[in-house]
Amino acid sequence: MKIGGGCFEAHNAKAAPDNRLEKHDFIVSINGKTSQESMLAEVKWCKDTVAMKIFRPMPLVVKIAKRGKPFGTGLVFHRDSCSMEIKEIRDGALKDHNASAAPDQQVQVGDFILKVNAFETPEQMVEALKTLSEFELTFTRPPKA
């Protein structure tokens, strides 16, 4: 989510620092609506204010060594997005990492990659995952439904 323009920017200009919307926040509901389509409709058609429930995730960082293997994921992202969702874990470095990592350090389907080393755009992250042999992967887990 990019925070710029419109009601989100206006909210952040007036809100206390700990109540501002931040990059990587998950909007859980808007006016009690929880599906993406209904939340977008609430924002689009609302003239004054909306009540939003936000989940601010804690980023997790793991070190991954590819050891000559592919990273081994199916990823999804939108052109203007600031993260990539893991849709599938296949044979490769990530599966090897998970096999030896503590449960709280395992990367799961549905997690979002936020950074690969210092790279933060999806295009840069994909290229880093393809070319680097070792890297730090910063990811987060969305709220449970």
Side-chain angles (χ1 to χ4, degrees), residues 3 6-17 19-21:
I3 301 170
C7 60
F8 295 124
E9 187 173 330
H11 166 79
N12 279 352
K14 294 186 267 182
N19 284 331
R20 292 180 185 150
L21 292 169

Side-chain angles (χ1 to χ4, degrees), residues 14 23 34-35 48 51 72 97 104 106 122 131 135-136 142 144:
K14 294 186 267 182
K23 182 179 178 179
T34 57
S35 74
D48 292 321
H97 162 80
D104 65 335
Q106 293 177 3
T131 59
F135 46 84
E136 281 192 354
K144 294 190 191 294

Side-chain angles (χ1 to χ4, degrees), residues 49-107:
T49 61
V50 294
M52 293 182 11
K53 183 177 178 184
I54 302 294
F55 173 78
R56 182 156 298 148
M58 177 70 69
L60 303 165
V61 180
V62 295
K63 292 184 181 193
I64 302 211
K66 288 174 42 181
R67 294 182 177 92
K69 295 183 178 182
F71 183 54
T73 60
L75 301 169
V76 174
F77 62 91
H78 299 284
R79 188 172 53 94
D80 294 329
S81 122
C82 59
S83 63
M84 300 186 299
E85 183 177 3
I86 297 173
K87 286 293 197 180
E88 176 185 12
I89 297 176
R90 302 186 285 258
D91 288 339
L94 184 59
K95 193 172 193 178
D96 291 351
H97 162 80
N98 283 346
S100 63
D104 65 335
Q105 293 292 300
Q106 293 177 3
V107 183

Side-chain angles (χ1 to χ4, degrees), residues 9 20 24-25 31 33 47 51 63 85 93 98 130:
E9 187 173 330
R20 292 180 185 150
H24 304 303
D25 281 351
N31 292 341
K33 309 288 190 217
K47 294 185 179 171
K63 292 184 181 193
E85 183 177 3
N98 283 346
K130 287 180 183 176

